[in-house]
């Protein structure tokens, strides 16, 4: 047994839909602007440019339930609903046609964003870490195994704030499909069990206020509801 000099951090994980086990989280990859309408609302060309990715810390992932804290350093706290892919096996330079063999299951998550911080970073050509990788910035539903939900490649993805529909799209409108995303990531780094992929958000991203009730889902995968916490004093 390893003799750590300080107590090791608790491993990040998510519940699974089958049984009491949890899915361990190693890394979190997020693809940017992967629905054409969202790319347009962010002022970009939605044609099939090579996909780009950013990352969140593993412990930014939390259960999408209860109260999600309103973060510091922002007055523009935005929602981005996404389908999430959970990886069960490693791979390097994986071909798209082989990529789905690496998938354990799927969930529904929200890429929470400090939009004002992100906009400032873009202006200054700085990284997005403070905009995307803060505490509790990746609430996610339980993970559902492939045996339960298959490999979703079509179906509604949606998000509501206080019952009002804000985001709506269809998985078939992903610019880069799940197999293509897995393949691209595996060309840059070695994928490993426990990796998560947030696969992109449809149009309609926008702000949340303290006390807002946020709900969302992906057809035939899962749904969630959480409440936004108070602005830190």
């Amino acid at each position: 047994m390893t003799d750590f000099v300080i107590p090791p951090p608790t491993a990040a994980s998510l519940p699974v839909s089958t049984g009491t086990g949890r899915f361990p989280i190693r890394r979190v990859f997020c693809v940017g602007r992967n629905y054409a309408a969202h790319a347009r609302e962010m002022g970009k060309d939605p044609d099939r440019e090579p996909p780009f990715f950013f990352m969140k810390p593993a412990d930014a992932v939390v259960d999408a339930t209860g109260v999600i804290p309103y973060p510091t350093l922002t007055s523009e706290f935005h929602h981005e609903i996404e389908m999430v892919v959970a990886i069960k096996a490693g791979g390097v330079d994986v071909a798209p046609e082989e990529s789905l063999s690496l998938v354990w299951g799927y969930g529904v998550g929200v890429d929470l964003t400090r939009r004002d911080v992100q906009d400032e970073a873009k202006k200054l050509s700085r990284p997005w870490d403070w905009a995307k990788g803060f505490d509790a910035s990746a609430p996610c539903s339980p993970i559902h195994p492939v045996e339960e939900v298959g490999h979703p490649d079509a179906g509604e993805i949606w998000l509501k704030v206080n019952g009002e529909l804000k985001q709506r799209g269809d998985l078939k409108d992903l610019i880069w499909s799940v197999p293509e995303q897995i393949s691209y990531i595996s060309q840059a780094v070695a994928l490993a069990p426990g990796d998560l992929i947030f696969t992109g958000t449809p149009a309609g991203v926008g702000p949340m206020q303290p006390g807002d009730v946020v709900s969302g889902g992906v057809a035939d995968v899962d749904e969630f509801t959480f409440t936004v916490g108070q602005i830190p004093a």
Side-chain angles (χ1 to χ4, degrees):
M1 186 168 108
T2 303
D3 184 18
F4 293 108
V5 297
I6 63 172
T10 301
S13 66
L14 282 169
V16 298
S17 63
T18 53
T20 59
R22 293 182 68 91
F23 186 88
I25 301 169
R26 180 172 179 263
R27 293 177 296 189
V28 182
F29 301 96
C30 305
V31 63
R33 297 194 290 266
N34 201 31
Y35 285 83
H38 174 56
R40 291 189 187 100
E41 77 176 348
M42 301 303 287
K44 299 298 180 180
D45 186 341
D47 290 339
R48 277 172 64 96
E49 301 171 348
F52 73 93
F53 297 87
F54 58 93
M55 297 181 69
K56 290 177 181 268
D59 62 3
V61 180
V62 295
D63 295 358
T65 187
V67 176
I68 299 298
Y70 195 106
T72 59
L73 305 181
T74 185
S75 59
E76 295 182 25
F77 184 34
H78 280 207
H79 55 75
E80 300 189 14
I81 180 79
E82 317 210 3
M83 185 171 76
V84 176
V85 180
I87 299 296
K88 69 177 181 182
V92 175
D93 290 330
V94 181
E97 57 270 22
E98 298 173 356
S99 293
L100 294 181
S101 66
L102 275 58
V103 176
W104 189 89
Y106 297 86
V108 186
V110 189
D111 168 18
L112 297 178
T113 303
R114 290 164 163 156
R115 188 70 69 202
D116 42 359
V117 175
Q118 184 187 37
D119 289 344
E120 185 67 13
K122 288 178 180 178
K123 290 177 186 176
L124 298 174
S125 298
R126 291 177 177 172
W128 292 3
D129 297 61
W130 259 210
K132 293 286 193 177
F134 52 91
D135 295 341
S137 62
C140 190
S141 77
I143 302 298
H144 296 252
V146 168
E147 294 77 16
E148 183 180 292
V149 297
H151 291 288
D153 58 6
E156 185 183 31
I157 177 171
W158 58 273
L159 181 139
K160 296 179 180 179
V161 177
N162 299 324
E164 181 179 352
L165 186 65
K166 296 294 187 179
Q167 290 187 263
R168 183 182 223 166
D170 195 293
L171 297 179
K172 65 181 174 58
D173 295 328
L174 285 168
I175 297 172
W176 295 95
S177 70
V178 169
E180 290 171 328
Q181 291 181 56
I182 294 172
S183 179
Y184 262 97
I185 294 171
S186 75
Q187 293 171 29
V189 298
L191 280 167
D195 288 341
L196 296 182
I197 303 171
F198 278 59
T199 59
T201 194
V205 301
M208 300 171 295
Q209 303 300 327
D212 281 350
V213 177
V214 181
S215 58
V218 172
D220 301 322
V221 178
D222 206 348
E223 298 181 4
F224 65 84
T225 300
F226 62 77
T227 301
V228 178
Q230 296 302 304
I231 295 175

